[in-house]
Structures are given as structure tokens and as C-alpha cells.
């Protein structure tokens, strides 16, 4: 694992000319990484955000709140986007060898959106010959053990910052991921394990229950996508579909049972 360079290291002309960029999703880990890099005075030339167009509004709001901090510290902000709109690839793009159009839900064994994101970020970094800070927390062992490119740096792991510590650091700095999804303002990390794209089918049942309860506007968006997709969002279990509509019926039954138990 490559350690972050020391602050003000004076490592010669080559070191001075080397560009350092941070890949940032504006989730808790990558934001904690950027805040700590700035605090420690480590070299950072650019923050790069890949916008799928399918992020929670809280992500865009937080990005906008962080931009003045980047400007104040002389850090350039770069925004990358997909070659084609996310929903086109999801719903309409012709797929070789398939009668249906579109890649379908992104997640599980078909993480096509993630693949496009990583390729775009790597392509950009390689085009400018940069070192890249990547915000993977110290306790994300599986992700850290995967093969990585030599120009990537994992400072959170080197600093021993786990996911919970990253979230606490961001909260202390005044960043909360507040979202009004139709049922009042909530902090996304109070109801979701990961603040990924709102349509990611890797979301677990707890997260989906919470989206339906606390973010009903996003739940309606998921239902609209499911109407257009043949494959159920959560696949099949014992031969039975677990799409958004099936999950909605399940959640309604769970709520009815809980309410009945409360009345008893």
C-alpha cells in the first residue's frame, strides 16, 4: 500500500511537478479523506467527482457546500460525467446478444455503472500522470485487498481511520447529508449503510424499508424504474421475484403486523 507523501516534503523537482488528485464521491469516507488531507497540509491539486446523475440530492448539496473550501485552499474541482445518460444505458441502450434493451439494474454481478465510473476516473488520472488518493476506510478489508494500480494511495487505511471515525469526523466538521425525500428531513447515514446512487440494487432490505418510510419520493422513483425493467430489483428468492412492488407488499404486511402487536 502506498502511503501519503509527507507534508511539505520538498522531494525535488519530480515530486514538485507530480500532480495529486482525490477521487471523491462526497460520501463520508472520501470527504473525511479530503478534510484530513487539507488539515495535514498534504499535496492536493484536484478533487474529482464522477456524477452519475443518480445521486441523492444531499450529495449535490454537500458538494456545493465543500466547493468554497476547495477554492480557499487552491484545489481545483473537476467533474466527470458518463458518455451517455445513466438512464439511457439502464433502459434503452441496445445490448449485444439480448432482445431487451438496456443493462437493467446496476449492482450485484452487473455493476455496469461502477465499471464506467472507475474507467473514467482511471482514464482521467492516467491522462495527466497523477497520483490518486482513494477514500477506502481502514476497516474495508476486502476492498483494500483487491489489486490496485500503482499510482493509487489509500490514506484512510494508512491513518487507521475506520468508517465510523470518518462519519464522526465529517459530522464534527458540519457535514450531515440531510435529505428531504417527502417525509421530512433526515440524515442519510441514519437510515442507509452506504450513500450510493439512490437506484443501486445493492441496497439491503433495511435500507429499502427506510427509503420507503423516510424518502417516499425516491421510493416512487424506484417503482417507476421497476415498471420499465423486467428483472426484479432484488432478483429472485426461492423462485419468487423480489422487485420493488413485491417488496412494497412485504413491507406493508410487516407494518400491519407491527401495528397489530402494538395494539395488543
Amino acid at each position: 500500500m502506498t502511503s501519503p507523501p509527507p507534508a511539505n516534503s520538498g522531494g525535488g523537482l519530480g515530486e514538485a511537478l507530480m500532480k495529486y488528485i482525490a477521487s471523491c464521491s462526497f460520501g463520508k469516507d472520501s470527504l473525511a479523506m479530503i478534510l484530513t488531507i487539507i488539515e495535514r497540509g498534504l499535496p492536493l491539486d484536484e478533487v474529482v467527482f464522477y456524477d452519475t446523475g443518480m445521486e441523492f440530492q444531499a450529495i449535490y448539496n454537500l458538494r456545493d457546500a465543500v466547493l468554497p473550501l476547495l477554492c480557499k485552499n487552491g484545489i481545483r474541482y473537476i467533474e466527470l460525467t458518463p458518455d451517455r445518460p445513466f438512464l439511457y444505458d439502464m433502459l434503452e441502450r441496445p445490448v449485444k446478444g439480448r432482445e431487451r434493451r438496456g443493462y437493467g439494474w446496476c449492482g450485484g454481478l452487473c455493476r455496469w455503472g461502477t465499471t464506467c465510473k472507475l474507467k473514467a476516473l482511471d482514464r482521467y488520472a492516467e491522462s495527466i500522470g497523477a497520483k490518486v488518493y482513494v477514500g477506502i476506510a481502514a476497516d474495508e478489508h476486502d476492498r483494500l485487498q483487491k489489486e490496485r494500480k500503482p499510482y493509487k494511495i489509500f490514506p484512510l487505511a494508512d491513518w487507521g481511520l475506520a468508517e465510523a471515525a470518518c462519519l464522526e469526523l465529517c459530522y464534527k466538521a458540519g457535514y450531515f447529508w440531510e435529505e428531504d425525500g417527502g417525509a421530512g428531513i433526515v440524515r442519510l447515514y441514519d437510515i442507509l449503510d452506504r450513500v450510493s446512487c439512490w437506484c443501486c440494487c445493492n441496497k439491503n432490505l433495511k435500507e429499502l424499508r427506510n427509503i420507503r418510510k423516510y424518502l417516499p419520493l425516491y421510493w416512487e422513483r424506484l417503482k417507476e424504474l421497476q415498471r420499465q425493467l423486467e428483472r426484479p430489483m432484488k432478483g429472485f428468492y426461492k423462485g419468487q421475484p423480489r422487485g420493488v412492488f413485491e417488496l412494497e407488499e412485504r413491507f406493508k404486511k410487516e407494518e400491519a403486523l407491527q401495528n397489530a402487536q402494538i395494539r395488543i
Side-chain angles (χ1 to χ4, degrees), residues 99-142:
E99 292 184 6
R100 63 175 175 82
R101 288 177 173 264
Y103 290 135
W105 294 106
C106 179
L109 296 177
C110 189
R111 300 181 66 193
W112 54 266
T114 303
T115 299
C116 291
K117 173 181 177 178
L118 293 177
K119 284 184 177 179
L121 291 167
D122 287 351
R123 187 163 55 244
Y124 177 75
E126 291 166 6
S127 72
I128 62 174
K131 295 281 190 180
V132 183
Y133 297 111
V134 182
I136 300 179
D139 52 347
E140 294 186 275
H141 304 296
D142 290 342

mmCIF file of all heavy atoms in Angstrom, residues 99-142:
data_model
loop_
_atom_site.group_PDB
_atom_site.id
_atom_site.type_symbol
_atom_site.label_atom_id
_atom_site.label_comp_id
_atom_site.label_asym_id
_atom_site.label_seq_id
_atom_site.Cartn_x
_atom_site.Cartn_y
_atom_site.Cartn_z
ATOM 1 N N GLU A 99 -32.401 -9.576 -26.570
ATOM 2 C CA GLU A 99 -33.544 -8.972 -27.237
ATOM 3 C C GLU A 99 -33.953 -7.667 -26.547
ATOM 4 O O GLU A 99 -34.331 -6.696 -27.194
ATOM 5 C CB GLU A 99 -34.729 -9.941 -27.246
ATOM 6 C CG GLU A 99 -34.508 -11.166 -28.118
ATOM 7 C CD GLU A 99 -35.732 -12.044 -28.168
ATOM 8 O OE1 GLU A 99 -36.781 -11.634 -27.621
ATOM 9 O OE2 GLU A 99 -35.653 -13.141 -28.762
ATOM 10 N N ARG A 100 -33.891 -7.668 -25.225
ATOM 11 C CA ARG A 100 -34.301 -6.472 -24.487
ATOM 12 C C ARG A 100 -33.216 -5.408 -24.570
ATOM 13 O O ARG A 100 -32.057 -5.690 -24.859
ATOM 14 C CB ARG A 100 -34.581 -6.814 -23.023
ATOM 15 C CG ARG A 100 -33.386 -7.312 -22.248
ATOM 16 C CD ARG A 100 -33.721 -7.515 -20.788
ATOM 17 N NE ARG A 100 -32.626 -8.113 -20.044
ATOM 18 C CZ ARG A 100 -31.595 -7.452 -19.562
ATOM 19 N NH1 ARG A 100 -31.500 -6.155 -19.774
ATOM 20 N NH2 ARG A 100 -30.654 -8.068 -18.876
ATOM 21 N N ARG A 101 -33.627 -4.190 -24.324
ATOM 22 C CA ARG A 101 -32.703 -3.075 -24.345
ATOM 23 C C ARG A 101 -32.305 -2.682 -22.920
ATOM 24 O O ARG A 101 -33.064 -2.895 -21.979
ATOM 25 C CB ARG A 101 -33.320 -1.872 -25.054
ATOM 26 C CG ARG A 101 -33.443 -2.038 -26.556
ATOM 27 C CD ARG A 101 -34.129 -0.850 -27.193
ATOM 28 N NE ARG A 101 -34.089 -0.931 -28.648
ATOM 29 C CZ ARG A 101 -33.175 -0.337 -29.404
ATOM 30 N NH1 ARG A 101 -32.227 0.391 -28.839
ATOM 31 N NH2 ARG A 101 -33.193 -0.450 -30.716
ATOM 32 N N GLY A 102 -31.144 -2.080 -22.805
ATOM 33 C CA GLY A 102 -30.687 -1.574 -21.520
ATOM 34 C C GLY A 102 -29.992 -2.620 -20.678
ATOM 35 O O GLY A 102 -30.273 -3.813 -20.760
ATOM 36 N N TYR A 103 -29.065 -2.145 -19.830
ATOM 37 C CA TYR A 103 -28.343 -3.043 -18.932
ATOM 38 C C TYR A 103 -29.186 -3.458 -17.734
ATOM 39 O O TYR A 103 -28.874 -4.434 -17.048
ATOM 40 C CB TYR A 103 -27.072 -2.355 -18.411
ATOM 41 C CG TYR A 103 -25.996 -2.162 -19.454
ATOM 42 C CD1 TYR A 103 -25.318 -0.948 -19.564
ATOM 43 C CD2 TYR A 103 -25.632 -3.192 -20.315
ATOM 44 C CE1 TYR A 103 -24.315 -0.758 -20.498
ATOM 45 C CE2 TYR A 103 -24.629 -3.015 -21.258
ATOM 46 C CZ TYR A 103 -23.980 -1.799 -21.342
ATOM 47 O OH TYR A 103 -22.985 -1.623 -22.276
ATOM 48 N N GLY A 104 -30.223 -2.700 -17.424
ATOM 49 C CA GLY A 104 -31.054 -3.017 -16.258
ATOM 50 C C GLY A 104 -30.476 -2.435 -14.983
ATOM 51 O O GLY A 104 -29.662 -1.518 -14.993
ATOM 52 N N TRP A 105 -30.922 -2.986 -13.864
ATOM 53 C CA TRP A 105 -30.465 -2.511 -12.553
ATOM 54 C C TRP A 105 -28.947 -2.601 -12.457
ATOM 55 O O TRP A 105 -28.348 -3.572 -12.918
ATOM 56 C CB TRP A 105 -31.080 -3.339 -11.425
ATOM 57 C CG TRP A 105 -32.555 -3.220 -11.281
ATOM 58 C CD1 TRP A 105 -33.493 -4.150 -11.637
ATOM 59 C CD2 TRP A 105 -33.278 -2.114 -10.724
ATOM 60 N NE1 TRP A 105 -34.747 -3.683 -11.350
ATOM 61 C CE2 TRP A 105 -34.649 -2.440 -10.788
ATOM 62 C CE3 TRP A 105 -32.908 -0.874 -10.198
ATOM 63 C CZ2 TRP A 105 -35.644 -1.594 -10.335
ATOM 64 C CZ3 TRP A 105 -33.885 -0.007 -9.741
ATOM 65 C CH2 TRP A 105 -35.241 -0.364 -9.809
ATOM 66 N N CYS A 106 -28.348 -1.618 -11.836
ATOM 67 C CA CYS A 106 -26.902 -1.620 -11.622
ATOM 68 C C CYS A 106 -26.617 -2.127 -10.215
ATOM 69 O O CYS A 106 -27.143 -1.594 -9.228
ATOM 70 C CB CYS A 106 -26.342 -0.212 -11.799
ATOM 71 S SG CYS A 106 -24.558 -0.113 -11.521
ATOM 72 N N GLY A 107 -25.782 -3.152 -10.122
ATOM 73 C CA GLY A 107 -25.438 -3.718 -8.823
ATOM 74 C C GLY A 107 -25.309 -5.225 -8.913
ATOM 75 O O GLY A 107 -25.615 -5.828 -9.949
ATOM 76 N N GLY A 108 -24.867 -5.842 -7.833
ATOM 77 C CA GLY A 108 -24.694 -7.291 -7.824
ATOM 78 C C GLY A 108 -23.600 -7.703 -8.794
ATOM 79 O O GLY A 108 -22.503 -7.137 -8.809
ATOM 80 N N LEU A 109 -23.913 -8.676 -9.655
ATOM 81 C CA LEU A 109 -22.937 -9.162 -10.625
ATOM 82 C C LEU A 109 -22.858 -8.273 -11.860
ATOM 83 O O LEU A 109 -21.991 -8.461 -12.700
ATOM 84 C CB LEU A 109 -23.301 -10.598 -11.053
ATOM 85 C CG LEU A 109 -23.255 -11.655 -9.941
ATOM 86 C CD1 LEU A 109 -23.710 -13.004 -10.484
ATOM 87 C CD2 LEU A 109 -21.855 -11.765 -9.350
ATOM 88 N N CYS A 110 -23.781 -7.313 -11.970
ATOM 89 C CA CYS A 110 -23.821 -6.436 -13.144
ATOM 90 C C CYS A 110 -23.667 -4.986 -12.705
ATOM 91 O O CYS A 110 -24.614 -4.199 -12.758
ATOM 92 C CB CYS A 110 -25.131 -6.640 -13.901
ATOM 93 S SG CYS A 110 -25.184 -5.801 -15.504
ATOM 94 N N ARG A 111 -22.462 -4.641 -12.277
ATOM 95 C CA ARG A 111 -22.188 -3.287 -11.776
ATOM 96 C C ARG A 111 -21.662 -2.419 -12.924
ATOM 97 O O ARG A 111 -20.572 -1.866 -12.856
ATOM 98 C CB ARG A 111 -21.198 -3.356 -10.622
ATOM 99 C CG ARG A 111 -21.692 -4.193 -9.435
ATOM 100 C CD ARG A 111 -20.679 -4.209 -8.308
ATOM 101 N NE ARG A 111 -20.510 -2.882 -7.725
ATOM 102 C CZ ARG A 111 -19.516 -2.565 -6.899
ATOM 103 N NH1 ARG A 111 -18.597 -3.470 -6.586
ATOM 104 N NH2 ARG A 111 -19.436 -1.354 -6.392
ATOM 105 N N TRP A 112 -22.457 -2.316 -13.962
ATOM 106 C CA TRP A 112 -22.010 -1.606 -15.159
ATOM 107 C C TRP A 112 -21.750 -0.125 -14.883
ATOM 108 O O TRP A 112 -20.839 0.468 -15.462
ATOM 109 C CB TRP A 112 -23.023 -1.789 -16.289
ATOM 110 C CG TRP A 112 -24.433 -1.412 -15.938
ATOM 111 C CD1 TRP A 112 -25.412 -2.250 -15.476
ATOM 112 C CD2 TRP A 112 -25.024 -0.109 -16.031
ATOM 113 N NE1 TRP A 112 -26.574 -1.548 -15.264
ATOM 114 C CE2 TRP A 112 -26.374 -0.233 -15.600
ATOM 115 C CE3 TRP A 112 -24.556 1.141 -16.430
ATOM 116 C CZ2 TRP A 112 -27.247 0.853 -15.556
ATOM 117 C CZ3 TRP A 112 -25.418 2.224 -16.395
ATOM 118 C CH2 TRP A 112 -26.748 2.074 -15.959
ATOM 119 N N GLY A 113 -22.539 0.480 -14.008
ATOM 120 C CA GLY A 113 -22.322 1.887 -13.682
ATOM 121 C C GLY A 113 -21.011 2.107 -12.957
ATOM 122 O O GLY A 113 -20.284 3.078 -13.223
ATOM 123 N N THR A 114 -20.699 1.198 -12.037
ATOM 124 C CA THR A 114 -19.433 1.278 -11.303
ATOM 125 C C THR A 114 -18.249 1.102 -12.247
ATOM 126 O O THR A 114 -17.235 1.804 -12.134
ATOM 127 C CB THR A 114 -19.387 0.204 -10.204
ATOM 128 O OG1 THR A 114 -20.508 0.371 -9.332
ATOM 129 C CG2 THR A 114 -18.102 0.294 -9.396
ATOM 130 N N THR A 115 -18.383 0.173 -13.189
ATOM 131 C CA THR A 115 -17.317 -0.047 -14.171
ATOM 132 C C THR A 115 -17.065 1.218 -14.990
ATOM 133 O O THR A 115 -15.913 1.630 -15.194
ATOM 134 C CB THR A 115 -17.682 -1.207 -15.108
ATOM 135 O OG1 THR A 115 -17.828 -2.408 -14.334
ATOM 136 C CG2 THR A 115 -16.603 -1.421 -16.161
ATOM 137 N N CYS A 116 -18.140 1.856 -15.445
ATOM 138 C CA CYS A 116 -17.986 3.097 -16.225
ATOM 139 C C CYS A 116 -17.326 4.185 -15.379
ATOM 140 O O CYS A 116 -16.453 4.923 -15.871
ATOM 141 C CB CYS A 116 -19.351 3.581 -16.705
ATOM 142 S SG CYS A 116 -20.109 2.531 -17.963
ATOM 143 N N LYS A 117 -17.712 4.263 -14.118
ATOM 144 C CA LYS A 117 -17.153 5.283 -13.227
ATOM 145 C C LYS A 117 -15.659 5.065 -13.023
ATOM 146 O O LYS A 117 -14.858 6.006 -13.169
ATOM 147 C CB LYS A 117 -17.876 5.231 -11.884
ATOM 148 C CG LYS A 117 -17.283 6.118 -10.797
ATOM 149 C CD LYS A 117 -18.056 5.961 -9.496
ATOM 150 C CE LYS A 117 -17.440 6.792 -8.383
ATOM 151 N NZ LYS A 117 -18.216 6.686 -7.118
ATOM 152 N N LEU A 118 -15.259 3.850 -12.691
ATOM 153 C CA LEU A 118 -13.849 3.569 -12.429
ATOM 154 C C LEU A 118 -12.999 3.777 -13.675
ATOM 155 O O LEU A 118 -11.881 4.299 -13.597
ATOM 156 C CB LEU A 118 -13.690 2.151 -11.887
ATOM 157 C CG LEU A 118 -14.295 1.892 -10.508
ATOM 158 C CD1 LEU A 118 -14.143 0.429 -10.114
ATOM 159 C CD2 LEU A 118 -13.658 2.800 -9.460
ATOM 160 N N LYS A 119 -13.515 3.378 -14.829
ATOM 161 C CA LYS A 119 -12.768 3.572 -16.070
ATOM 162 C C LYS A 119 -12.557 5.055 -16.360
ATOM 163 O O LYS A 119 -11.470 5.471 -16.764
ATOM 164 C CB LYS A 119 -13.500 2.899 -17.234
ATOM 165 C CG LYS A 119 -13.358 1.382 -17.281
ATOM 166 C CD LYS A 119 -14.041 0.817 -18.518
ATOM 167 C CE LYS A 119 -13.833 -0.697 -18.610
ATOM 168 N NZ LYS A 119 -14.512 -1.261 -19.806
ATOM 169 N N ALA A 120 -13.603 5.853 -16.132
ATOM 170 C CA ALA A 120 -13.496 7.290 -16.392
ATOM 171 C C ALA A 120 -12.498 7.947 -15.452
ATOM 172 O O ALA A 120 -11.671 8.771 -15.869
ATOM 173 C CB ALA A 120 -14.861 7.948 -16.254
ATOM 174 N N LEU A 121 -12.552 7.579 -14.164
ATOM 175 C CA LEU A 121 -11.625 8.143 -13.190
ATOM 176 C C LEU A 121 -10.189 7.730 -13.485
ATOM 177 O O LEU A 121 -9.264 8.559 -13.432
ATOM 178 C CB LEU A 121 -12.029 7.722 -11.778
ATOM 179 C CG LEU A 121 -13.329 8.328 -11.244
ATOM 180 C CD1 LEU A 121 -13.786 7.601 -9.984
ATOM 181 C CD2 LEU A 121 -13.157 9.813 -10.953
ATOM 182 N N ASP A 122 -9.988 6.447 -13.803
ATOM 183 C CA ASP A 122 -8.637 5.969 -14.122
ATOM 184 C C ASP A 122 -8.110 6.630 -15.395
ATOM 185 O O ASP A 122 -6.938 7.016 -15.473
ATOM 186 C CB ASP A 122 -8.635 4.453 -14.295
ATOM 187 C CG ASP A 122 -8.781 3.711 -12.969
ATOM 188 O OD1 ASP A 122 -8.714 4.363 -11.911
ATOM 189 O OD2 ASP A 122 -8.986 2.480 -13.002
ATOM 190 N N ARG A 123 -8.972 6.756 -16.380
ATOM 191 C CA ARG A 123 -8.561 7.367 -17.647
ATOM 192 C C ARG A 123 -8.120 8.813 -17.424
ATOM 193 O O ARG A 123 -7.108 9.254 -17.986
ATOM 194 C CB ARG A 123 -9.723 7.295 -18.632
ATOM 195 C CG ARG A 123 -9.384 7.739 -20.044
ATOM 196 C CD ARG A 123 -10.437 7.257 -21.046
ATOM 197 N NE ARG A 123 -11.786 7.682 -20.672
ATOM 198 C CZ ARG A 123 -12.763 6.850 -20.349
ATOM 199 N NH1 ARG A 123 -12.557 5.533 -20.343
ATOM 200 N NH2 ARG A 123 -13.952 7.306 -20.043
ATOM 201 N N TYR A 124 -8.864 9.532 -16.598
ATOM 202 C CA TYR A 124 -8.507 10.923 -16.330
ATOM 203 C C TYR A 124 -7.168 10.996 -15.589
ATOM 204 O O TYR A 124 -6.288 11.789 -15.951
ATOM 205 C CB TYR A 124 -9.589 11.614 -15.517
ATOM 206 C CG TYR A 124 -9.225 13.042 -15.168
ATOM 207 C CD1 TYR A 124 -9.277 14.040 -16.126
ATOM 208 C CD2 TYR A 124 -8.787 13.376 -13.884
ATOM 209 C CE1 TYR A 124 -8.905 15.349 -15.831
ATOM 210 C CE2 TYR A 124 -8.412 14.676 -13.571
ATOM 211 C CZ TYR A 124 -8.476 15.655 -14.548
ATOM 212 O OH TYR A 124 -8.097 16.945 -14.245
ATOM 213 N N ALA A 125 -7.016 10.185 -14.532
ATOM 214 C CA ALA A 125 -5.777 10.216 -13.750
ATOM 215 C C ALA A 125 -4.570 9.876 -14.610
ATOM 216 O O ALA A 125 -3.519 10.523 -14.534
ATOM 217 C CB ALA A 125 -5.886 9.244 -12.576
ATOM 218 N N GLU A 126 -4.709 8.868 -15.453
ATOM 219 C CA GLU A 126 -3.597 8.442 -16.293
ATOM 220 C C GLU A 126 -3.280 9.468 -17.371
ATOM 221 O O GLU A 126 -2.115 9.612 -17.786
ATOM 222 C CB GLU A 126 -3.925 7.079 -16.908
ATOM 223 C CG GLU A 126 -3.935 5.953 -15.867
ATOM 224 C CD GLU A 126 -4.582 4.674 -16.369
ATOM 225 O OE1 GLU A 126 -4.922 4.615 -17.569
ATOM 226 O OE2 GLU A 126 -4.760 3.738 -15.557
ATOM 227 N N SER A 127 -4.292 10.212 -17.805
ATOM 228 C CA SER A 127 -4.070 11.206 -18.856
ATOM 229 C C SER A 127 -3.209 12.369 -18.368
ATOM 230 O O SER A 127 -2.550 13.040 -19.175
ATOM 231 C CB SER A 127 -5.400 11.742 -19.382
ATOM 232 O OG SER A 127 -6.030 12.595 -18.427
ATOM 233 N N ILE A 128 -3.212 12.612 -17.053
ATOM 234 C CA ILE A 128 -2.401 13.716 -16.515
ATOM 235 C C ILE A 128 -1.253 13.201 -15.648
ATOM 236 O O ILE A 128 -0.522 13.997 -15.051
ATOM 237 C CB ILE A 128 -3.271 14.704 -15.707
ATOM 238 C CG1 ILE A 128 -3.924 14.018 -14.494
ATOM 239 C CG2 ILE A 128 -4.329 15.338 -16.587
ATOM 240 C CD1 ILE A 128 -4.679 14.980 -13.587
ATOM 241 N N GLY A 129 -1.101 11.875 -15.579
ATOM 242 C CA GLY A 129 0.012 11.284 -14.832
ATOM 243 C C GLY A 129 -0.025 11.587 -13.350
ATOM 244 O O GLY A 129 1.017 11.890 -12.742
ATOM 245 N N ALA A 130 -1.210 11.506 -12.748
ATOM 246 C CA ALA A 130 -1.384 11.910 -11.349
ATOM 247 C C ALA A 130 -1.334 10.739 -10.379
ATOM 248 O O ALA A 130 -1.628 9.595 -10.734
ATOM 249 C CB ALA A 130 -2.712 12.642 -11.186
ATOM 250 N N LYS A 131 -0.959 11.048 -9.153
ATOM 251 C CA LYS A 131 -1.183 10.158 -8.023
ATOM 252 C C LYS A 131 -2.616 10.389 -7.539
ATOM 253 O O LYS A 131 -3.093 11.523 -7.517
ATOM 254 C CB LYS A 131 -0.209 10.457 -6.883
ATOM 255 C CG LYS A 131 1.249 10.180 -7.205
ATOM 256 C CD LYS A 131 1.563 8.702 -7.101
ATOM 257 C CE LYS A 131 3.072 8.444 -7.191
ATOM 258 N NZ LYS A 131 3.387 7.004 -7.080
ATOM 259 N N VAL A 132 -3.297 9.310 -7.146
ATOM 260 C CA VAL A 132 -4.716 9.423 -6.806
ATOM 261 C C VAL A 132 -4.965 8.955 -5.376
ATOM 262 O O VAL A 132 -4.683 7.802 -5.025
ATOM 263 C CB VAL A 132 -5.586 8.590 -7.767
ATOM 264 C CG1 VAL A 132 -7.067 8.780 -7.437
ATOM 265 C CG2 VAL A 132 -5.312 8.970 -9.212
ATOM 266 N N TYR A 133 -5.505 9.854 -4.557
ATOM 267 C CA TYR A 133 -5.982 9.473 -3.231
ATOM 268 C C TYR A 133 -7.351 8.814 -3.380
ATOM 269 O O TYR A 133 -8.258 9.370 -4.014
ATOM 270 C CB TYR A 133 -6.142 10.700 -2.339
ATOM 271 C CG TYR A 133 -4.885 11.480 -2.029
ATOM 272 C CD1 TYR A 133 -4.690 12.755 -2.557
ATOM 273 C CD2 TYR A 133 -3.920 10.964 -1.170
ATOM 274 C CE1 TYR A 133 -3.559 13.499 -2.253
ATOM 275 C CE2 TYR A 133 -2.775 11.697 -0.854
ATOM 276 C CZ TYR A 133 -2.605 12.968 -1.399
ATOM 277 O OH TYR A 133 -1.483 13.695 -1.078
ATOM 278 N N VAL A 134 -7.507 7.635 -2.767
ATOM 279 C CA VAL A 134 -8.774 6.896 -2.835
ATOM 280 C C VAL A 134 -9.301 6.711 -1.417
ATOM 281 O O VAL A 134 -8.578 6.234 -0.536
ATOM 282 C CB VAL A 134 -8.580 5.520 -3.523
ATOM 283 C CG1 VAL A 134 -9.918 4.790 -3.622
ATOM 284 C CG2 VAL A 134 -7.975 5.707 -4.917
ATOM 285 N N GLY A 135 -10.555 7.065 -1.198
ATOM 286 C CA GLY A 135 -11.127 7.045 0.152
ATOM 287 C C GLY A 135 -11.744 5.721 0.551
ATOM 288 O O GLY A 135 -12.975 5.605 0.637
ATOM 289 N N ILE A 136 -10.908 4.737 0.796
ATOM 290 C CA ILE A 136 -11.376 3.446 1.322
ATOM 291 C C ILE A 136 -10.960 3.367 2.778
ATOM 292 O O ILE A 136 -9.770 3.476 3.101
ATOM 293 C CB ILE A 136 -10.799 2.260 0.524
ATOM 294 C CG1 ILE A 136 -11.236 2.349 -0.951
ATOM 295 C CG2 ILE A 136 -11.245 0.940 1.124
ATOM 296 C CD1 ILE A 136 -10.698 1.228 -1.814
ATOM 297 N N ALA A 137 -11.929 3.179 3.663
ATOM 298 C CA ALA A 137 -11.672 3.209 5.101
ATOM 299 C C ALA A 137 -10.826 2.018 5.551
ATOM 300 O O ALA A 137 -10.760 0.981 4.880
ATOM 301 C CB ALA A 137 -12.989 3.237 5.867
ATOM 302 N N ALA A 138 -10.212 2.176 6.719
ATOM 303 C CA ALA A 138 -9.271 1.168 7.214
ATOM 304 C C ALA A 138 -9.936 -0.177 7.495
ATOM 305 O O ALA A 138 -9.265 -1.216 7.458
ATOM 306 C CB ALA A 138 -8.587 1.681 8.483
ATOM 307 N N ASP A 139 -11.242 -0.177 7.779
ATOM 308 C CA ASP A 139 -11.924 -1.432 8.100
ATOM 309 C C ASP A 139 -12.627 -2.050 6.891
ATOM 310 O O ASP A 139 -13.354 -3.029 7.031
ATOM 311 C CB ASP A 139 -12.910 -1.252 9.251
ATOM 312 C CG ASP A 139 -13.878 -0.104 9.040
ATOM 313 O OD1 ASP A 139 -13.656 0.707 8.132
ATOM 314 O OD2 ASP A 139 -14.852 -0.012 9.813
ATOM 315 N N GLU A 140 -12.411 -1.508 5.694
ATOM 316 C CA GLU A 140 -12.961 -2.120 4.479
ATOM 317 C C GLU A 140 -11.912 -3.056 3.885
ATOM 318 O O GLU A 140 -11.348 -2.811 2.817
ATOM 319 C CB GLU A 140 -13.360 -1.037 3.476
ATOM 320 C CG GLU A 140 -14.507 -0.161 3.937
ATOM 321 C CD GLU A 140 -14.946 0.798 2.862
ATOM 322 O OE1 GLU A 140 -14.339 1.884 2.741
ATOM 323 O OE2 GLU A 140 -15.892 0.467 2.129
ATOM 324 N N HIS A 141 -11.671 -4.140 4.594
ATOM 325 C CA HIS A 141 -10.528 -5.005 4.284
ATOM 326 C C HIS A 141 -10.620 -5.630 2.888
ATOM 327 O O HIS A 141 -9.621 -5.722 2.179
ATOM 328 C CB HIS A 141 -10.410 -6.095 5.346
ATOM 329 C CG HIS A 141 -10.300 -5.569 6.742
ATOM 330 N ND1 HIS A 141 -9.236 -4.804 7.157
ATOM 331 C CD2 HIS A 141 -11.145 -5.660 7.808
ATOM 332 C CE1 HIS A 141 -9.402 -4.470 8.424
ATOM 333 N NE2 HIS A 141 -10.555 -4.970 8.840
ATOM 334 N N ASP A 142 -11.809 -6.077 2.495
ATOM 335 C CA ASP A 142 -11.942 -6.730 1.196
ATOM 336 C C ASP A 142 -11.599 -5.776 0.063
ATOM 337 O O ASP A 142 -10.917 -6.158 -0.892
ATOM 338 C CB ASP A 142 -13.375 -7.256 1.012
ATOM 339 C CG ASP A 142 -13.674 -8.434 1.926
ATOM 340 O OD1 ASP A 142 -12.712 -9.040 2.432
ATOM 341 O OD2 ASP A 142 -14.867 -8.745 2.137
#
